Amino acid sequence: MKKNKLTMHQAILGLVIGCTLFAIVAQTVVFEVISRQQIRRESLLNNDETLERIDAEINSYIHENIVKMQSIYNETQMVYDMRHHTNRKRRKLLDYYFTAWHLSERRFDSADQLLAMYIYDNENNLITSHRKQPYNYPHDLYDTEQYVNVSHLKSYLKSDDYSVMLSGYHNEEADQDVIRFVLKLHTYDYDRSQFGYMICDFDTQNISNIMSKYISSRDVYVWLQPQGDSPISQVGNTTREESKIFTDLTKLVATSTDEFPEFEDEYGSFYLNSRDSEKYNLHTIMLTPQSLMMHTQSALARMLIVIAIIIILLTLFLGTLISGYVYRPVKQLSKTIIQIKNGDTALRAKTDGWSEELQVMGDEFNEMLDQIQEMAREEYESKVLMERTQYKVLQAQINPHFLYNTLDTMSGIAVSQNCTMVSGLCQSLSAIFRYSLDISDTQSTLQQEMAHVRNYLYVMDVRNGNTIKYTYRIDSDTLEDNIPRITLQPIVENALQHGLRNTRRKDKELIISAMHRDEKLVITIEDNGAGMDAEAMNEQLAKADISRIEMGRSIGVMNVNARVRSVYGEDYGIHFESSPGNGTRAVIELPIVKDSSDSMAAV
């Protein structure tokens, strides 16, 4: 079936559209990669700026509350009694039972959302306390079964740290998140001796409002957490994946002791930013879904697709016009060639194409037609002249016997001059010519064929140097088998020229074997040379026939295979076994035909 090929018009149009599509696809891929990286960088940078603003406002909020707590030092009488109290004066401290209530009323307003205030001496004895919700918050933090996160309080009191401690817990009774401020009360002299401490528990709603003010979407999740403690406050909605990341990270922060853990920039499908407070043991952490950042990229990608479609349509329209203009003179030239082929030899191609190449092509084509006509006239005259000289040419042919006698004379001269190699070469060449030019019988024996092959190999060794090892494995019962004349030598020559000659190995070897197998004469010629494409060669051998030989269109291995199949049938012939780099093995299968007695007598 004839395969349809593209016209130049189609090829040009396809090339234009293909290049356009390639450019658009490449641009889209580059845009996708670069924009994703740019969005990631800008998102992380914007989130860092957001956390910086959140941290600044939270620090301001904490500082205001600490200033209000430090107003306790204005209660000079209570401070004096706490510094100098003894067991005898212990009773006097009970006079300050309502001091916490007065401080909360005078120093804190409702917007501060103070939930409870506790003042203790150094022995953890409660001096005064005040609670906005008495039923939900204990009177004494050390005398309650309710969880109020006392463990972190005790650890802080044992330390030498005099800065305000910030901690948090969740009050189960009130179902509120609480942020705790603990202020150590101490003297401001050189000794800086501690005489008690003040605890204020606040609702975390103010901190949540600060964080929410800077969050653009509820899908962004932000929380505040001290190192070594549980989270104080968090805002935003969480997905299942986000909740798992939140649990893992808060656990990591809560269990860290020495240094705050380092986080990656990305966790799953979320960006992560964190910021450490410069003044307090507080860390603000933000999880931002990447999908929020990719909305802009998706919109740009859709716009890019629309632009790409418009460009493709415009390219298709312009490509059709341009390719048609370019192809028109080529199509006209093609039509002219077909008309000339169909017999209109007087027709000539037009040379008014739009390009110089087309004009040259038309001029050269017309000149070629003129030359063909001139050659046809000269060919007719040559035929007449050939008929006149044919007889003289036949008379000038060399007599084969003159060639044999000349080689024998050269061999005798070489012997007399002690040139044994030249003598052997002349004898081998004489035997080769005698065997090759003797066409009185198309059949020979395997023994005679092997003698011819040995003469040929001797000549090749003299010519190329003795670099190949020859191994013969000929069963004695095969020597008298008939085979077509000149069967082995072309295959041996093929092995030398195309197999062993194209390899650089030092152990070159040619093996010729003959045996009877399965009622057939099987001859193998094997080399360890460069190898070949055996499958392609066997396909060509399967197509060989005697008509190609008679018309002189095939030589060598194809010639041998076609003659064997012509004489003995389709079940016999040659096939190859090989692969590149692993040598070649040619197998010749022939019927077992013994030489007649007449032929033996002639030999």
Side-chain angles (χ1 to χ4, degrees), residues 238-361:
T238 59
T239 61
R240 180 179 300 178
E241 180 184 3
E242 202 168 8
S243 297
K244 183 179 184 306
I245 297 174
F246 170 76
T247 302
D248 294 339
L249 295 181
T250 53
K251 182 178 179 181
L252 187 61
V253 175
T255 56
S256 63
T257 55
D258 297 332
E259 296 182 357
F260 190 77
E262 294 184 1
F263 296 136
E264 302 290 338
D265 291 336
E266 294 186 31
Y267 282 83
S269 58
F270 296 88
Y271 294 127
L272 185 138
N273 297 76
S274 63
R275 179 177 177 83
D276 303 338
S277 175
E278 297 179 357
K279 298 181 179 180
Y280 311 105
N281 178 27
L282 285 178
H283 305 274
T284 312
I285 306 172
M286 175 186 292
L287 279 176
T288 307
Q290 295 182 11
S291 57
L292 293 178
M293 304 296 106
M294 295 303 168
H295 287 326
T296 302
Q297 184 188 27
S298 300
L300 292 175
R302 288 192 294 269
M303 179 63 67
L304 189 63
I305 292 174
V306 173
I307 295 174
I309 294 175
I310 295 175
I311 292 175
I312 291 174
L313 294 177
L314 183 61
T315 302
L316 183 61
F317 174 73
L318 294 178
T320 303
L321 294 179
I322 296 174
S323 60
Y325 173 73
V326 172
Y327 176 65
R328 190 178 299 110
V330 178
K331 182 178 180 181
Q332 186 177 6
L333 178 61
S334 176
K335 182 179 179 181
T336 302
I337 293 173
I338 294 175
Q339 291 176 343
I340 295 173
K341 174 187 173 183
N342 293 333
D344 192 359
T345 57
L347 190 63
R348 292 294 181 268
K350 294 183 179 180
T351 59
D352 56 351
W354 60 270
S355 71
E356 182 180 355
E357 289 81 1
L358 290 174
Q359 184 174 358
V360 171
M361 186 183 300

Side-chain angles (χ1 to χ4, degrees), residues 102-159:
H102 290 300
L103 284 173
S104 63
E105 292 296 324
R106 290 198 308 269
R107 302 300 180 184
F108 298 93
D109 53 31
S110 60
D112 295 327
Q113 298 190 29
L114 177 66
L115 300 176
M117 178 186 294
Y118 304 89
I119 301 175
Y120 290 89
D121 62 14
N122 280 340
E123 285 76 28
N124 298 330
N125 296 316
L126 180 66
I127 296 176
T128 178
S129 66
H130 171 68
R131 296 149 295 151
K132 292 289 184 180
Q133 303 175 10
Y135 296 103
N136 295 328
Y137 290 86
H139 172 70
D140 188 347
L141 295 177
Y142 297 102
D143 186 20
T144 180
E145 296 180 355
Q146 184 179 353
Y147 174 75
V148 288
N149 198 9
V150 176
S151 59
H152 285 84
L153 174 62
K154 291 180 178 179
S155 299
Y156 166 70
L157 294 176
K158 292 178 181 179
S159 68

Side-chain angles (χ1 to χ4, degrees), residues 194 394 483:
Q194 179 180 334
L394 292 174
I483 67 173

Side-chain angles (χ1 to χ4, degrees), residues 39 53 59 129 172 184 268 350 376 417 451 495 555 567 602:
I39 288 174
R53 291 191 290 269
N59 285 343
S129 66
E172 297 290 344
K184 287 183 179 181
K350 294 183 179 180
Q417 297 294 327
I555 59 173
V567 174

Side-chain angles (χ1 to χ4, degrees), residues 201-260:
D201 287 350
F202 295 91
D203 191 346
T204 60
Q205 185 61 45
N206 285 334
I207 293 180
S208 298
N209 291 338
I210 292 174
M211 293 190 294
S212 298
K213 183 167 62 174
Y214 293 97
I215 303 304
S216 60
S217 172
R218 296 297 297 176
D219 293 330
V220 179
Y221 198 70
V222 185
W223 72 92
L224 189 69
Q225 182 176 5
Q227 182 179 355
D229 201 351
S230 59
I232 292 177
S233 177
Q234 53 265 358
V235 296
N237 301 325
T238 59
T239 61
R240 180 179 300 178
E241 180 184 3
E242 202 168 8
S243 297
K244 183 179 184 306
I245 297 174
F246 170 76
T247 302
D248 294 339
L249 295 181
T250 53
K251 182 178 179 181
L252 187 61
V253 175
T255 56
S256 63
T257 55
D258 297 332
E259 296 182 357
F260 190 77

Side-chain angles (χ1 to χ4, degrees), residues 526-548:
E526 185 175 357
D527 66 78
N528 59 354
M532 61 181 293
D533 187 352
E535 183 177 354
M537 185 64 180
N538 289 330
E539 289 180 359
Q540 294 184 21
L541 291 173
K543 299 176 182 178
D545 54 32
I546 193 62
S547 62
R548 293 171 59 88

